[in-house]
Amino acid sequence: MKAVRYIPNPQRPQLARGIRRLERDVLRMGALVEQSFRLSHQALFARNLAAAEELPRLDKKIDRFYRQIESDCTAIMTLQSPTAQDLRCLSAFMQLVRDLERIGDYAKDLAEIAIKLFPYAPHTSLPDIEVMSRHAQAMLATSLVALADFDEAGGRGLKNLDDTVDDAYDRVYQTLAQQRDVPGVVEPIVLLALAIRCLERMADHATNIGQRVAYIVTGQRS
C-alpha cells in the first residue's frame, strides 16, 4: 500500500507557505539535535572531551529554535484561521519540537556523564551501550525523514525500532545491576545506568515524533 502523505492546502497559499517555513525550521532544529547526539556519542564512546564541551553551545541554539517555532505556530493559529488538517500539523509541530528539545537535553546529559566517566577505565558494557546509542540515533534520523516527507508509514515504523532499544536497555541494565565484587567506587556503574536511561528516553522521543507525523497525516492517534 502506498504511504499516505500530507500536503498543505494549496488554496491557502500564505498559510501553506507558513507551514512549509515552519517545517524547514523544525528540520533545521532536528539537524542540530542530530549533531548534538553525534557529539555526545563521541564524548561517551571515543572519550572525546572536546565534543562534550561543544554540547552547551548547541543546546542553546536548539532551545532558541524551540521557542521560536512555538511562537510562530501560535501566531499562525491565532491570525490565519487554519483548516482542521493544517491545525493538526501546527499542533503536532508544537509537540514534536518539545520531543526534539528533550533529545537535545539528553545529549547534553550524556556529555556530562562522559566527562565524569573520563577518569575511569572503560567498562565492559560500553560496546553494548554504543550499539544502543547507534540504534537511537538511527531512530532520530528516521523520524526526521518521515517528517520531511509527511510519511505516515515511516512515522509509525519507529515503534518497531524502539522495541530494539528497549530490549537493549533491559539487557544492559541487568548486567550493571547484577555486577558483584566491584573493585573501587561504584560511580561508573551508576553513571552508565544513567546513560542507558538517557538513550532509552531519546529513542522514546524519536518514536513520539514518528507518531506525531502519522497524526498530521491521518488525524488519528495511536
Side-chain angles (χ1 to χ4, degrees):
M1 181 183 296
K2 185 177 180 180
V4 179
R5 287 175 168 79
Y6 160 77
I7 300 174
N9 189 347
Q11 297 179 349
R12 301 281 302 280
Q14 183 180 358
L15 178 59
R17 284 195 300 271
I19 290 175
R20 287 300 191 194
R21 184 175 62 252
L22 277 168
E23 181 195 358
R24 288 194 296 270
D25 286 344
V26 173
L27 291 172
R28 288 170 65 195
M29 179 182 175
L32 289 176
V33 173
E34 283 191 292
Q35 184 181 358
S36 70
F37 202 159
R38 286 193 298 270
L39 287 171
S40 70
H41 184 97
Q42 293 170 18
L44 191 56
F45 303 108
R47 301 168 74 86
N48 185 339
L49 291 184
E53 292 167 354
E54 184 72 10
L55 264 296
R57 182 187 65 83
L58 267 180
D59 191 59
K60 289 180 181 178
K61 287 186 176 182
I62 291 166
D63 288 345
R64 283 197 295 270
F65 263 113
Y66 171 53
R67 291 189 295 268
Q68 185 61 53
I69 291 166
E70 275 204 329
S71 176
D72 290 346
C73 285
T74 301
I76 291 176
M77 289 177 179
T78 304
L79 301 175
Q80 297 195 33
S81 302
T83 65
Q85 189 177 40
D86 293 330
L87 190 61
R88 287 204 309 267
C89 183
L90 293 166
S91 63
F93 279 170
M94 294 178 74
Q95 292 173 320
L96 70 83
V97 292
R98 177 60 176 164
D99 288 307
L100 286 172
E101 190 268 343
R102 291 300 297 138
I103 294 173
D105 284 346
Y106 283 123
K108 188 173 70 170
D109 291 343
L110 285 173
E112 293 171 357
I113 289 169
I115 291 171
K116 292 177 181 178
L117 281 170
F118 187 76
Y120 300 104
H123 192 273
T124 55
S125 292
L126 272 178
D128 291 332
I129 299 173
E130 183 174 5
V131 171
M132 186 179 174
S133 176
R134 293 193 185 281
H135 277 300
Q137 288 180 74
M139 289 179 64
L140 174 59
T142 300
S143 73
L144 293 173
V145 170
L147 174 61
D149 293 339
F150 287 118
D151 180 359
E152 177 203 0
R156 293 198 189 281
L158 268 296
K159 184 64 179 69
N160 294 330
L161 298 176
D162 189 45
D163 292 340
T164 300
V165 174
D166 287 342
D167 290 344
Y169 172 82
D170 290 338
R171 289 194 305 272
V172 176
Y173 181 84
Q174 288 302 317
T175 298
L176 295 172
Q178 295 176 12
Q179 190 165 347
R180 299 288 186 268
D181 301 322
V182 179
V185 298
V186 298
E187 183 181 30
I189 295 174
V190 174
L191 290 171
L192 289 174
L194 291 173
I196 62 172
R197 179 57 176 165
C198 287
L199 291 169
E200 189 266 341
R201 292 299 298 140
M202 292 162 100
D204 285 346
H205 284 292
T207 302
N208 289 347
I209 293 169
Q211 296 301 311
R212 300 192 202 291
V213 171
Y215 172 69
I216 291 171
V217 177
T218 67
Q220 298 178 352
R221 299 185 185 275
S222 57

